[in-house]
Amino acid sequence: MSTATTHGGPQLPQERRLVTEIPGPRSRELFARKQSAVPPGIGTTLPVFVTHAGGGVIVDADGNSLIDFGSGIAVTNVGNAAPRVVERVQKQVADFTHTCFMVAPYESYVAVCEKLNALTPGDHEKRTFLVNSGAEAVENAVKVARHATGRQAVVVFDHGYHGRTLLTMTLTAKSMPYKHGFGPFAPEVYRVPLAYPFRWPTGPDNCAEEAAAQAIDMINKQIGAENVAAVLIEPIAGEGGFIEPARGFLPKIVEFCRANGIVFIADEVQTGFARTGHMFACEDEGIVPDIITTAKGIAGGLPLAAVTGRADLLDHVHSGGLGGTYGGNPLACEAALGVLETIEQDKLVERARHIGEVMLPRLRAIQEHNPIVGDVRGRGAMIAVELVVPGTKEPYPAAEIARRCHEQGLLVLTAGTYGNVLRFLPPLVIPDHLLEEGLSILEKALNVD
Ligand SMILES: *Cc1c(COP(=O)(O)O)cnc(C)c1O
């Protein structure tokens, strides 16, 4: 096994290179160790063990170099071991590693909050606080909304995903694998329809209007708008299958929230940080959330998440009512500052749009001659195909196609309530030739008969 460099990052050779079968012998050995040390509840999409990653590739323990269409689930938007992230984290780890921001604060935490207050939609006065994971951000957003409104009910949507803790798995729609066997669930969570154009019973044209009317009617009649603290939604449903709500749906829901004193929370954990060709996906329809939760792409893989929102809401909570030991760890904050610099200086919002412009036409061309591709959708570098049994809308299992891609050295992820969505989340720094090569592998993998 030989790699040209000893470090990851963008200087890794940007090539697909298979020197063993996938997974190779060294990865299989390590996977056997995993199986006896780690419970099966912690699943594995592709059992290759990683040694280096950067740009658009992941290098494994056998020396294979795979094309990365996953970014560790929309986390390494700036690429793995991105230079500005590495430099800042290396300096910070030698200076100090932890004080607890609630015990003795440091500047980088405040700088991240200032940046998020400035970058998130809306020019109203905002506050931000930092936590460790997307689930923790969502839980805290609900805490703030309940505290500020004095109400309890939380409204979520079909196909929504918000995390794996008790409250956030309750907020999540899909039973298997997220909720099955883990009840009882948290109280005061209500689910309403999402405007899912491809599967809307009367077709996509009236989807936004009908879905919004149904959702609002359910809130009014079954919950009572005056009991609702928050409406929580992903601007594009991630785990649910990259469902872009039909245009017009989100503005109608926001308008209803404003009219009824309900806190509108946008969960941008997966859609944030340049991923969709905007800094945040809400910008696409000019949505200004009362609170926005972010995580994944925020810090290049270091654990960090944020709750950003209207100052009057966040200032409502008493001192000591929010926080946590590690929230806004100094290494993660430095990484986030490196990520935000990289997005801005390397123009990654534009780069995400470019990726969409490369991927969407090719995927639509595949759809024309391959009836297993039922729908092609997405924005920027958050793109998916929904697979169907030809001639129907019956779900076709995406895992089978994903496995065929993996064997060829293309890492793709699956998603969807029906497990029939292939989702593509390449690092925004992936070179075009790898994007094209990945699409060619996918095109072949989709030829199932
Ligand atoms: C991943 C995700 C979460 C949970 O984030 P974790 O960091 O895994 O806790 C919440 N909401 C959305 C939309 C996500 O994609």
Side-chain angles (χ1 to χ4, degrees), residues 133-135 161-163 234 267 269-270 296:
S133 69
Y161 178 85
H162 301 288
E234 301 162 89
D267 181 352
V269 167
Q270 193 157 160
K296 294 196 166 94

Side-chain angles (χ1 to χ4, degrees), residues 165-172 174-175 178-189:
T165 60
L166 176 57
L167 177 60
T168 58
M169 78 172 166
T170 307
L171 298 167
T172 292
K174 193 174 175 179
S175 173
Y178 306 121
K179 303 166 85 164
H180 175 75
F182 298 136
F185 301 108
E188 288 303 320
V189 172

Side-chain angles (χ1 to χ4, degrees), residues 34 38-44 164 177 182:
K34 184 230 170 200
V38 181
I42 305 294
T44 307
R164 294 176 181 270
F182 298 136

